[in-house]
Amino acid sequence: MRIIVSNSSPVPIYEQIKKAIMDQIMNDELKENEPLPSIRALARDIKISVMTIKKAYDELESEGYIKVVQGKGTFVSPKNPDLALENAQKEIEKHLEEALNIASRYDISKEDLKELIDILGGEA
Amino acid sequence: MDAINVKDLVKEYRNFTLGNLNVTIPSGYIVGLIGENGAGKTTFIKCLLEIIKPTKGTIKLLGQDIKDAKEDIGVVLDDMFFPEILQVKDISAVMKGIYQKWDEELFFKYLKDFNLDPNKIIKTLSKGMHKKLEIATALAHHPKLLILDEPTEGLDPVVRSEVLDIFLNFIQDEEHSVLLSTHITSDLEHIADCIIFIADGKILMEKDRDELLDNYGILKVNVDEIDKIAKEDIIACLKHRYDYEILVSEKDKISKKYPNYIVDKITLEELMVLMIKGERQC
């Protein structure tokens, strides 16, 4: 497993950890049923508080990426393609929202924005 | 089981009162105690250990009274005393008589890890070396709870990072917990699960690390634009020559609300300064 945490990033540390694990599940670097380090071991190894790691694991579990087996440990859940799509959409939404904010600040119309997307996508 | 459970603790002095404090620290975590000099951190820790008798209140450590829990508690205090004429290695013989579970081998392992010469006379130790000896002593009887007043004071960054590693290793056992006070708040920023902020004898804030550092931020505004910031968004603020530094919560929301201003991540140190020195309104 690969995890690098940036202290200067505005992204909360638990989200960085969550995303690192999510990405590796999605691109098959972490495979179904592969064990993840325990919360405490990971906390020690990357020098991050136990609660921060717990928060990341809790969200990964509730979103269906990993499962906790009592007394055995934490494992990668079977991959769910719908979940991947949903997350991609969420991420795109976030970026588009940011773009819309910038646009409204400079009075750039939605049409202009759409055009920009077409240009960037190479369709114009 | 709770590692520390404090109910209605009050300690009254002629010109200072600690409390009323209620603190519950669950087992398995590292809790950082921060605050100015004289805020009451050391008084609180000494009350926990019954070195100072509280005016009122009840204290349970590991579910027991302190006198029954002593064997399971490791302590570093600000004014720790070791007989100065002894050699470092002699501490082991002294402690063997105090703690049933004293582990000589472990003690000498820590001395080695810390580069402490067992034959050195205690009087000749530097401040940092003395601190390391205190930490080795606190750990060598297999405690379940560490109560540490300024354990990293006087240590250089390299040793500090080693000590913090030791704490993270210590809580690999879910029944183990650490309470430490410190001025070096950067030590806590990553490893502490929860922060207790004491000011003027009272708890000003008690929050999970993430809740604190991911939620709060500093909004920076030019002095002539301060009226653009809604009063209800200001928790505390400091005026400088060119700008205001404003403590805000829900920093993501705030940076959306004021897109033309900078909202910075906050450090514990900045949070402390703003909460103590800042005005409640600009």
Side-chain angles (χ1 to χ4, degrees):
Chain A
M1 193 165 79
R2 296 175 298 122
I3 289 190
I4 292 174
V5 171
S6 157
N7 293 322
S8 54
S9 159
V11 179
I13 290 175
Y14 84 91
E15 269 186 41
Q16 294 183 38
I17 296 165
K18 184 180 157 191
K19 189 162 186 307
I21 295 176
M22 249 163 70
D23 288 349
Q24 287 170 73
I25 292 175
M26 282 310 149
N27 64 23
D28 278 327
E29 276 175 66
L30 286 172
K31 297 193 170 56
E32 189 180 333
N33 287 326
E34 200 170 317
L36 291 179
S38 77
I39 290 174
R40 277 166 204 276
L42 186 58
R44 178 193 55 202
D45 293 342
I46 64 174
K47 297 189 194 204
I48 297 292
S49 87
V50 171
M51 259 191 214
T52 306
I53 311 277
K54 192 171 179 313
K55 195 167 173 184
Y57 273 37
D58 282 352
E59 289 200 2
L60 285 167
E61 193 188 3
S62 73
E63 290 171 24
Y65 289 96
I66 61 175
K67 55 178 185 281
V68 177
V69 183
Q70 275 311 326
K72 290 235 169 86
T74 307
F75 301 88
V76 177
S77 292
K79 206 155 91 179
N80 178 349
D82 293 346
L83 203 64
L85 196 63
E86 198 183 305
N87 272 305
Q89 266 164 359
K90 260 190 220 159
E91 200 167 336
I92 291 170
E93 263 171 41
K94 205 165 77 189
H95 287 293
L96 284 180
E97 203 178 305
E98 212 169 297
L100 280 166
N101 276 338
I102 299 170
S104 83
R105 226 182 298 158
Y106 295 98
D107 288 327
I108 297 167
S109 74
K110 288 203 177 73
E111 279 62 40
D112 288 347
L113 264 186
K114 281 179 194 157
E115 208 172 296
L116 201 58
I117 291 176
D118 286 343
I119 291 169
L120 287 172
E123 281 173 32
Chain B
M1 187 178 54
D2 291 334
I4 297 177
N5 196 315
V6 172
K7 272 204 193 100
D8 296 320
L9 174 69
V10 176
K11 175 66 188 173
E12 284 170 348
Y13 291 102
R14 204 152 17 116
N15 43 22
F16 175 76
T17 304
L18 176 77
N20 188 336
L21 301 186
N22 285 290
V23 178
T24 303
I25 297 176
S27 288
Y29 296 109
I30 298 177
V31 176
L33 196 59
I34 60 171
E36 280 179 290
N37 286 327
K41 301 189 298 287
T42 299
T43 308
F44 174 61
I45 282 178
K46 287 190 169 169
C47 282
L48 287 181
L49 298 166
E50 263 189 353
I51 295 168
I52 295 174
K53 196 178 164 5
T55 312
K56 70 178 189 80
T58 53
I59 294 164
K60 297 275 181 211
L61 302 181
L62 302 165
Q64 297 166 296
D65 289 335
I66 167 78
K67 62 178 192 309
D68 301 316
K70 272 200 171 124
E71 188 74 26
D72 289 327
I73 297 170
V75 175
V76 169
L77 287 174
D78 219 5
D79 46 7
M80 202 90 157
F81 177 78
F82 289 125
E84 289 192 327
I85 52 161
L86 295 183
Q87 289 176 296
V88 167
K89 65 180 177 204
D90 297 332
I91 294 298
S92 190
V94 175
M95 290 299 154
K96 222 191 246 171
I98 296 176
Y99 293 109
Q100 285 170 18
K101 288 186 289 179
W102 182 259
D103 185 338
E104 200 162 39
E105 212 172 295
L106 185 62
F107 179 71
F108 282 101
K109 185 190 165 288
Y110 280 126
L111 294 188
K112 206 171 155 218
D113 289 352
F114 286 158
N115 274 325
L116 271 176
D117 176 0
N119 296 314
K120 218 162 160 99
I121 307 283
I122 289 177
K123 198 178 169 177
T124 65
L125 294 178
S126 69
K127 201 177 169 193
M129 275 154 49
H130 198 277
K131 215 43 166 195
K132 288 199 238 175
L133 175 59
E134 291 169 35
I135 293 168
T137 308
L139 285 162
H141 63 282
H142 300 283
K144 289 185 181 147
L145 168 62
L146 294 176
I147 297 181
L148 315 164
D149 198 7
E150 301 282 350
T152 52
E153 204 192 16
L155 300 180
D156 65 57
V158 177
V159 179
R160 260 175 29 224
S161 116
E162 285 168 19
V163 169
L164 298 181
D165 277 344
I166 288 175
F167 298 157
L168 280 169
N169 256 319
F170 179 73
I171 61 155
Q172 290 304 301
D173 185 328
E174 281 172 44
E175 283 184 17
H176 288 184
S177 330
V178 181
L179 172 71
L180 73 152
S181 79
T182 183
H183 279 120
I184 310 165
T185 51
S186 59
D187 284 351
L188 297 176
E189 242 142 62
H190 297 113
I191 67 155
D193 295 294
C194 174
I195 308 283
I196 299 176
F197 183 177
I198 295 190
D200 198 22
K202 295 187 175 50
I203 293 178
L204 197 58
M205 255 185 193
E206 183 183 3
K207 285 202 158 74
D208 292 354
R209 178 222 164 269
D210 287 331
E211 208 184 318
L212 213 61
L213 296 175
D214 294 342
N215 180 32
Y216 288 87
I218 301 182
L219 174 66
K220 295 183 175 172
V221 183
N222 292 323
V223 272
D224 56 344
E225 293 176 310
I226 187 65
D227 52 341
K228 294 195 173 131
I229 307 300
K231 284 204 165 43
E232 65 267 20
D233 292 330
I234 299 167
I235 297 172
C237 76
L238 273 180
K239 190 183 179 190
H240 303 294
R241 179 86 175 81
Y242 298 105
D243 69 342
Y244 278 95
E245 278 186 306
I246 302 168
L247 177 66
V248 294
S249 64
E250 297 185 88
K251 68 166 186 267
D252 292 345
K253 237 193 218 169
I254 294 288
S255 69
K256 269 193 196 127
K257 184 168 172 187
Y258 304 105
N260 296 324
Y261 298 112
I262 290 169
V263 182
D264 261 350
K265 274 172 67 154
I266 200 161
T267 64
L268 274 179
E269 195 169 305
E270 289 164 331
L271 182 81
M272 236 173 100
V273 171
L274 270 161
M275 288 293 283
I276 289 171
K277 279 183 69 190
E279 306 284 340
R280 292 296 167 257
Q281 49 193 21
C282 297

